[in-house]
Amino acid sequence: MNYENPQLRLPDGAAVEGQLAWRSPSNIAIIKYWGKYGVQLPRNPSISFTLEAAYSDFELRYVSKKEPSAAVSLSFDFEEKDKIEAFRVKMVKFLETQLAVFPFLTQLDLHISSKNSFPHSAGIASSASSMSALALCLCSLEAALFGTLEEGAPAFLAKASYLARLASGSACRSLYPTMAVWGETPLVAEASNLYAIGVENAIHPVFKTYHDAILIASRAEKSVSSRMGHGLMENNAYAAPRYEQANVRMAAVLNALKTGDVHQFGQIAEDEAMTLHALMMTSSPWFTLLKPNTLQMIEILRGWREKTNLPAYFTLDAGPNLHLLYPAEIEAEVRTLITESLQPLCADGQVIFDKVGLGPQRL
Ligand code: PMV
């Protein structure tokens, strides 16, 4: 796949101006991507739910540069004022790596303003939602200036997913409704390491009703970044069997997703969450992102499930917050469990009630 296109330049002296905006959601992996090679290429296939309530809005304004220059000109506005400059520099660096794909970027003054739907202090990573929103804005900009992409068409989403992957790995899965697969697997014919694809049509309707209650165990910044975590997989003694296991679990989860087996699905989700954190603990140097209250909540959930046999299961991201996954039909029972037993263990009682969503939205 090569998206390089030297033709995508505005004629000299052309004056263009406009604005466009996208809302893009976060995603939560069921089979985890942990370990990469090359430029953000996954060592194993992963599958995720696309979320709804946790999203980023990106508005991109563009105007032709007054004075030509070879630099990327980007100003940025964001509610977390102390993070603006670091985020702006990260985006400029990313855009500089994409100048062969979007040569016109150096012909424009760009301004992005961004906001997240979730509180800054929630300890939720915004890179999936924000980098997928950025990728969508870039593809829409190409569509607006050159007509070479059709917004929302499969080729548009594949290109946006490819760019989102380069900007921030698992962000590439945020582009599709309900669920997305990223990484080659013989189980999904079109699956690729280069971009994610939507698999909404291969899943039982019950999974479209799924909720994800994010129980905030801690709002502290992560002590080890995902980038470092992925890097430590290179020398992890369990890396090779892990990548094999991910493929085996992928087959099992696709089966559960097809048949609507919510218990098999939940069991695999929990196995994957624990494996992810076990890989962190078996890295050298080891690290753990779990907190005592994460484990307490897991114990409570497990006890409740043994009593009720209701299909609420957890997963974890690279962090201490518990994602409680359950179908809409048991919402009332799970709400009671949360308010009575789990919320008191959360940082300031914080819970974000999210659910499976329809994917990005052009604003
Ligand atoms: O996309 P990254 O580099 O932040 O890595 C994501 C890793 C996990 O969130 C732990 C798993 C996943 O597949 O999303």
Side-chain angles (χ1 to χ4, degrees), residues 307-335:
K307 271 205 323 258
T308 62
N309 200 32
L310 292 174
Y313 290 82
F314 72 85
T315 188
L316 296 157
D317 224 334
N321 303 329
L322 208 66
H323 288 246
L324 200 49
L325 305 172
Y326 54 95
E329 62 191 347
I330 63 164
E331 166 79 351
E333 293 89 335
V334 176
R335 282 276 181 156

Side-chain angles (χ1 to χ4, degrees), residues 31 52 71 81 89 128 165 242 245 257 260 290:
I31 302 294
E52 186 181 88
K81 301 292 173 209
V89 168
R165 179 200 111 232
R242 156 61 192 161
Q245 175 192 59
L257 286 167
L290 299 178

